[in-house]
Amino acid sequence: MSANRPVTNHAHRARIVRDLHTLAALVARRSALGVVGEPCSIIWEIAYPKGTGVKADPPNAAPTIKAVLDGLVAAGCLSDDNPDVVVAQTFVRAPNTRVRGLHRITITFIEETP
């Protein structure tokens, strides 16, 4: 999902969001992420598919990122995604993947001192 090309069919969007929740929770569990220290900031590194031009804008991934973040909350990695828990989010462009059609999201959590 992209801010530039929103999914307008509500049922289709709901399926995508549900699948992203499930995928995020599964990856968190498999990587033994555990509970993230709170409050925290998050750096989202977005890698676009092979062949994507240099002007791809990482913040446009926000609809996908929101679904991933909700999946991390559902997995118990974060207690919530409100501003008291996640105080800042930064979007960074990573080098393109070497595979057409494959996006990659890398998450870095930075524990903030209250």
Side-chain angles (χ1 to χ4, degrees):
M1 293 185 297
S2 168
N4 283 345
R5 284 178 253 122
V7 178
T8 55
N9 180 292
H10 296 296
H12 182 62
R13 184 182 189 290
R15 284 190 299 275
I16 293 170
V17 168
R18 182 194 65 229
D19 290 347
L20 286 168
H21 286 175
T22 302
L23 180 62
L26 177 67
V27 170
R29 288 184 189 112
R30 282 193 176 168
S31 65
L33 177 59
V35 178
V36 175
E38 299 175 1
C40 68
S41 293
I42 302 174
I43 299 172
W44 300 96
E45 245 183 288
I46 312 299
Y48 291 92
K50 176 181 179 179
T52 301
V54 297
K55 292 190 177 185
D57 189 5
N60 285 330
T64 296
I65 296 305
K66 174 62 176 151
V68 169
L69 187 57
D70 287 343
L72 295 175
V73 171
C77 299
L78 293 164
S79 63
D80 201 343
D81 61 350
N82 69 51
D84 292 331
V85 175
V86 179
V87 297
Q89 297 183 63
T90 303
F91 295 86
V92 178
R93 172 87 188 247
N96 286 1
T97 65
R98 295 181 179 195
V99 179
R100 292 202 182 275
L102 176 68
H103 291 75
R104 182 181 312 114
I105 300 170
T106 304
I107 308 166
T108 303
F109 295 98
I110 301 167
E111 190 171 344
E112 301 291 333
T113 53

